[in-house]
Amino acid sequence: MLPGSHVPRFTCFISDILYIASSFQAAELSIKFLVPSRSLEVIHLVGPKLVSAGKHNAAAELYLNMDLIKEAVDAFIDGEEWNKAKRVAKELDSRYEQYVDERYKDYLKNQGKVDSLVGVDVMAALDMYAERGQWEKCIDIAGKQNYKVLQKYVALFATHLIKDGNWEKALALYVQHGAPANAQNFNIYKRIFMEMVNSEGMNCAEVYQTWANLRDMLYNLCENLMKSSEVNSPAHQEFEQMMLIAHYYSTRSASQGLQQLDVVAAKLCVSLLRHTDLLPADKAFYEAGMASKAMGWENSAFIFLNRFLDLVDAIEEGNLDALDHSDFQFTDIPFEVPLPAKQHIPVRSQILSLRCACGPLCIRLMLQGDFG
């Protein structure tokens, strides 16, 4: 490196320092010796140059000497001297207090300093946590506010979880934080219920706690509905029915864990057929049929499995027009049920082919365990 190669850069640095110093001195002299209008001209010329040079405190001092409060506040803000900006606004012109607060909020948002934002604007901070997917932190902070704030973010988190297919965690949220009788939440509760009754692997003892959680959530909801303007409304009655269904399912799972209660589990499968207006009908009839088969109730098993296969045909055809309801006359099993959007129980093609050719013989073979 050649001697003196840094001299031009150093010279420029010294020149900048001298320029800033001389500008500041000129501004101070103008304040002392010039008329106010001329001093203002000098300050408005020198102030921005000092800010650009990073001399925010010096610029603010000049502005304050001329009672330019807004300009002084902006100089401190530009230098991220937030406490000084707040103090100037509070002590010299309270009109700018809100201005400083808003600028500080924007700064924290733009810098992503959400933890600091909590102490300034908790709702904005909660929105940022939600946008970033920091849901656990969001719910924790919301829980330290009032119940309404907490439930707002619980609902947002639950909606996010359901979209991701994690209905079980959404259910756990409401078990933990309660299910308020807010009409805007009704679709969330219904979606959790529908996702659960349509899920696979829910007909066993191991899922008792999950069914119990659904029952408890719906019980809490119905208790809250009793105290609200929605009491005895159609929505209230529907949630009461869902709670009864969840109770049946949880009791069935509890019974499946004990051999001596197998008959209780089977009877609950049959009882659930009364609610096929809310349950996937093909799944409900299959489970009732197989439970009846296990108990040796051959006639009931035959009827229920025959209905199951009728529903499989209806799902393939896209309508329920061909269903024969004669087997269910004088029962409280509903005729009008929603057409399941998909087939919940896989049926081997041999069963359907044999049913077309042999009719009831197919069901007899299913009962004997030759097909499934």
Side-chain angles (χ1 to χ4, degrees), residues 189-202:
Y189 304 143
K190 290 177 183 178
R191 181 68 181 275
I192 291 172
F193 175 87
M194 295 307 298
E195 290 289 337
M196 193 161 171
V197 299
N198 281 278
S199 293
E200 298 179 4
M202 300 303 294

Side-chain angles (χ1 to χ4, degrees), residues 274-294:
R274 298 188 181 99
H275 304 286
T276 44
D277 53 335
L278 289 179
L279 302 175
D282 61 327
K283 185 180 180 184
F285 275 99
Y286 177 82
E287 290 176 351
M290 298 308 289
S292 297
K293 171 188 172 183

Side-chain angles (χ1 to χ4, degrees), residues 16-74:
D16 290 341
I17 292 176
L18 292 174
Y19 175 74
I20 293 169
S22 60
S23 297
F24 183 72
Q25 188 175 15
E28 286 187 318
L29 291 172
S30 71
I31 294 171
K32 290 180 180 179
F33 299 110
L34 296 181
V35 295
S37 59
R38 292 292 293 164
S39 296
L40 280 174
E41 290 180 15
V42 175
I43 298 303
H44 281 304
L45 178 66
V46 174
K49 294 183 181 298
L50 291 172
V51 169
S52 298
K55 303 298 180 181
H56 303 92
N57 289 325
E61 182 182 337
L62 290 178
Y63 287 134
L64 289 173
N65 284 332
M66 296 300 295
D67 292 328
L68 298 172
I69 309 302
K70 172 67 162 51
E71 287 79 357
V73 166
D74 283 334

Side-chain angles (χ1 to χ4, degrees), residues 48 58 70 76 80-81 83 100 108 121 141 184 186-188 196 211 234-235 242 244 252 258 282 294 325 333:
K70 172 67 162 51
F76 282 132
E80 299 180 11
E81 298 278 4
N83 289 332
V100 174
L108 292 174
D121 187 343
I141 298 296
Q184 58 266 34
F186 288 175
N187 283 337
I188 298 175
M196 193 161 171
W211 285 119
M242 289 180 178
L244 179 61
R252 183 183 72 174
L258 298 169
D282 61 327
H325 305 299
I333 295 175

Side-chain angles (χ1 to χ4, degrees), residues 239-257:
F239 285 124
E240 289 279 358
Q241 185 183 1
M242 289 180 178
M243 180 180 68
L244 179 61
I245 291 169
H247 175 59
Y248 283 173
Y249 275 129
S250 61
T251 307
R252 183 183 72 174
S253 287
S255 301
Q256 287 169 329

